[in-house]
Amino acid sequence: MKKIENTNEFETKRQLDIINELKKEYEAEFKRTGINKTYHIETFGCQMNSRDSEKISGILKQIGYIETDTEDADFVLYNTCTVRENANNRVYGRLGYVGRLKKNRPGMLVAICGCMMQETAAVEKIKTSYPFVDIIFGTHNIFKLAELIKTRRENETIGGKQSDRMVIDLWKDTDMIVESLPNDRKYPFKAGVNIVFGCDNYCSYCIVPYVRGRERSRNVKDIIDEIKALADDGVKEVMLLGQNVNSYGKNLNPRVSFAQLLQEIEKIEGIERIRFMTSHPKDLSQELIDVMATSKKICKHLHLPLQSGSSRLLKIMNRKYSKEDYLDLVDRIKKAVPDISLTTDIIVGFPGETEEDFMETIDVVKKVGFDSAFTFLYSKRSGTPAANMDNQVEENIAKERFDRLLDEIQASSAKAAGRDEHTIQDVLVEEVNSQNEDLLTGRLSNNMLVHFPGDKSLIGDIIPVYLKESKGFYYIGEPV
Ligand code: 5AD
Ligand code: SF4
């Protein structure tokens, strides 16, 4: 244990030295040219990727890059997702576009990282079809970005050929958690905080455990220190991130539970809202439900992926709970936190799904009354057990079920909407409304959006708002 921590600290120092070295080089270049270098990051996929992009952005800013909102930049990075096939195809589309931009922009660097890069086939395709890419790295070594840029610049100096100039650094897995590197945040008042990396659950359809590696929890002290620093910096809301936050602490010595971690975070002055994502039903403990029931800061929202309502399919999916377990869990949560908003993920068309299985899913949707749901058509991911199952569902059948599920979810959302109409609720003011500049947009504890008139100086504050009218997915409010 001790040894790993030392390795991590050594690596932090090494990377900071390289960042400083590059910073000096970039400052010298700026003195010569008078032009600052720009960067642009395109992020695909989940909140984990968004958080990684913030870390990448922190490193790039520290080196001396300035952010720009188009791909016409000196450094363009694609942070990729591979959870479903269409995510991969979108990245190839962007690469085609950036390749054409690069022809007219000497010195431009193109990098790709993220989950898709942990797949050999995708990397091989990039090597052959997109040889202009400069840097490829994966999910385990984003902390090395400055070092990879340095290596790429040195390759240029020694004059490598196009293909051997590509710097590729991919790790299959890692124990390392490198702390204390530069960091960036999209919002000044709310922040994502990683608590667990990787996933050990091996749901049979899912590629995540193969691309994000085995589960590793950050130390309590590192998390608390980070959140205290965020609070000092004016952050009011934290979103704790992990593929399965409920299994937080299993590999720590001494063992710590997620509920205990939440209680520590609750004590931090300045933090007013705590969210977390994602919860695996199999690991959601009664201890956590009890903590949620008494907490003043944990938000009234739980994202609890169902995936399927059929106990038969859940077994084949390796989810380790049944339909009855899920419904019982939901009952206990609703009893303890009556105003909780529940959202979920559901997959339609998993191999072997019958009409009866699908109707079990519909039954759970009816019984639970989700506020909203992300619904996915099953996508075959090579390397996962489900990809080799020979009873794949025909596309037209899956699509037809998908549409029926959407109708059911919409009915469920419509029922849930308006629950808080005509009440006064606390709203974290997030931004000026994108459609109407006279309105502000904020969120309730249960994550529902509220639009209301107000001055933009309120952004970042938590204020009471009267919810005048429900519009389904949002409320029209009036500050009180
Ligand atoms: N096909 C479709 N959806 C998937 N998900 C994960 N893997 C697949 C797949 N192969 C969905 C799950 C998960 C969400 C993030 O993505 O519902 O909860
Ligand atoms: Fe994928 Fe299952 Fe892990 Fe979620 S818990 S990331 S669905 S393997």
Side-chain angles (χ1 to χ4, degrees):
M1 210 57 200
K2 190 82 193 126
K3 186 167 162 274
I4 290 174
E5 277 172 27
N6 284 341
T7 317
N8 291 342
E9 281 162 24
F10 173 80
E11 195 57 44
T12 302
K13 185 173 176 323
R14 213 169 79 81
Q15 294 303 324
L16 287 174
D17 287 346
I18 298 172
I19 289 169
N20 279 333
E21 204 181 301
L22 279 177
K23 187 178 172 175
K24 280 189 195 127
E25 283 178 28
Y26 277 51
E27 276 168 2
E29 280 177 37
F30 177 71
K31 270 197 188 130
R32 256 198 336 272
T33 61
I35 303 168
N36 268 313
K37 285 188 195 296
T38 53
Y39 78 94
H40 178 73
I41 303 176
E42 289 270 320
T43 308
F44 300 83
C46 66
Q47 307 214 11
M48 212 66 81
N49 264 17
S50 302
R51 181 70 193 119
D52 283 350
S53 288
E54 287 183 343
K55 293 177 183 173
I56 289 165
S57 178
I59 294 174
L60 292 172
K61 280 187 177 162
Q62 188 67 28
I63 292 173
Y65 281 102
I66 291 173
E67 189 167 16
T68 175
D69 54 8
T70 75
E71 280 147 297
D72 194 5
D74 297 299
F75 187 95
V76 174
L77 179 131
Y78 298 95
N79 188 359
T80 62
C81 168
T82 188
V83 78
R84 286 170 295 275
E85 177 83 39
N86 53 2
N88 288 32
N89 294 336
R90 280 174 59 208
V91 171
Y92 294 129
R94 293 321 294 170
L95 280 177
Y97 170 71
V98 84
R100 291 191 290 279
L101 278 184
K102 197 179 179 193
K103 284 203 179 102
N104 300 318
R105 209 178 163 119
M108 178 178 183
L109 293 180
V110 175
I112 319 185
C113 67
C115 295
M116 191 176 148
M117 295 305 98
Q118 297 293 139
E119 288 179 282
T120 316
V123 175
E124 286 309 312
K125 178 163 172 156
I126 287 168
K127 281 206 278 195
T128 49
S129 305
Y130 307 95
F132 58 83
V133 169
D134 297 281
I135 299 170
I136 297 182
F137 57 108
T139 53
H140 303 300
N141 54 352
I142 58 172
F143 65 87
K144 279 186 73 178
L145 175 61
E147 185 177 351
L148 301 177
I149 294 177
K150 179 176 174 243
T151 310
R152 173 65 187 80
R153 282 163 62 90
E154 285 167 0
N155 280 1
E156 180 77 355
T157 324
I158 20 186
K161 291 200 300 292
Q162 181 78 61
S163 59
D164 54 51
R165 279 199 224 140
M166 198 185 278
V167 173
I168 304 179
D169 192 5
L170 293 164
W171 301 5
K172 221 172 148 21
D173 206 342
T174 185
D175 280 334
M176 292 179 79
I177 299 181
V178 182
E179 302 279 354
S180 310
L181 284 177
N183 219 320
D184 196 16
R185 279 203 324 270
K186 206 170 154 202
Y187 299 95
F189 50 86
K190 65 172 187 176
V193 176
N194 296 109
I195 63 164
V196 204
F197 298 101
C199 181
D200 282 348
N201 290 306
Y202 292 94
C203 301
S204 62
Y205 51 81
C206 186
I207 200 157
V208 168
Y210 307 91
V211 297
R212 287 231 165 229
R214 86 189 76 147
E215 189 180 287
R216 286 109 51 214
S217 295
R218 283 177 75 196
N219 291 319
V220 176
K221 185 178 179 312
D222 289 329
I223 296 171
I224 298 294
D225 286 352
E226 179 175 337
I227 299 180
K228 277 186 179 157
L230 289 169
D232 288 345
D233 214 17
V235 167
K236 296 203 169 95
E237 177 180 304
V238 286
M239 164 73 97
L240 310 177
L241 297 170
Q243 302 297 343
N244 175 9
V245 289
N246 302 101
S247 70
Y248 173 79
K250 279 190 182 156
N251 66 330
L252 292 178
N253 187 12
R255 237 177 122 134
V256 185
S257 71
F258 179 51
Q260 288 167 327
L261 175 72
L262 282 171
Q263 284 168 303
E264 289 305 309
I265 297 172
E266 178 106 16
K267 292 181 201 154
I268 300 175
E269 226 173 284
I271 296 300
E272 295 182 41
R273 285 183 169 188
I274 306 168
R275 298 186 188 278
F276 49 84
M277 190 143 174
T278 289
S279 287
H280 194 310
K282 81 175 165 67
D283 293 311
L284 201 151
S285 64
Q286 188 58 45
E287 183 196 15
L288 174 62
I289 297 177
D290 296 341
V291 167
M292 288 182 76
T294 52
S295 164
K296 299 258 179 305
K297 297 185 176 177
I298 299 175
C299 288
K300 309 285 181 206
H301 171 223
L302 193 62
H303 186 68
L304 195 61
L306 168 69
Q307 312 300 4
S308 167
S310 152
S311 297
R312 187 187 79 83
L313 277 195
L314 285 169
K315 204 171 173 80
I316 305 171
M317 285 178 164
N318 195 28
R319 293 290 288 177
K320 302 203 167 76
Y321 56 86
S322 64
K323 175 186 180 184
E324 289 68 33
D325 295 335
Y326 190 92
L327 289 173
D328 171 62
L329 181 61
V330 166
D331 267 354
R332 285 187 285 127
I333 294 166
K334 283 185 175 172
K335 274 201 190 95
V337 193
D339 46 353
I340 193 95
S341 151
L342 292 169
T343 58
T344 197
D345 293 345
I346 298 173
I347 299 175
V348 177
F350 179 83
E353 184 188 70
T354 61
E355 179 60 21
E356 288 71 39
D357 292 318
F358 176 68
M359 287 315 290
E360 298 277 6
T361 301
I362 295 281
D363 188 42
V364 176
V365 171
K366 279 193 194 330
K367 286 191 167 124
V368 175
F370 295 108
D371 277 30
S372 66
F374 295 109
T375 49
F376 306 106
L377 271 173
Y378 168 73
S379 169
K380 198 170 172 175
R381 307 313 291 131
S382 80
T384 62
N388 298 327
M389 294 177 185
D390 53 14
N391 45 0
Q392 306 284 325
V393 175
E394 272 178 47
E395 209 180 304
N396 58 337
I397 295 181
K399 281 207 172 119
E400 190 265 339
R401 284 180 192 158
F402 184 85
D403 290 342
R404 278 156 62 204
L405 177 64
L406 269 191
D407 288 345
E408 202 56 55
I409 297 286
Q410 266 162 15
S412 170
S413 304
K415 239 193 204 162
R419 241 189 336 212
D420 295 321
E421 204 176 29
H422 307 312
T423 64
I424 295 171
Q425 300 284 333
D426 282 341
V427 172
L428 171 57
V429 187
E430 299 202 339
E431 56 206 357
V432 174
N433 189 298
S434 55
Q435 325 269 298
N436 178 349
E437 277 191 14
D438 299 329
L439 292 181
L440 297 173
T441 294
R443 271 174 205 278
L444 302 180
S445 166
N446 70 12
N447 216 28
M448 187 75 130
L449 286 171
V450 186
H451 304 312
F452 56 96
D455 187 80
K456 64 173 188 253
S457 61
L458 289 171
I459 291 174
D461 288 354
I462 296 181
I463 59 165
V465 173
Y466 173 67
L467 306 179
K468 218 163 54 174
E469 191 188 348
S470 162
K471 294 275 190 187
F473 292 109
Y474 62 91
Y475 288 100
I476 298 290
E478 198 65 57
V480 287

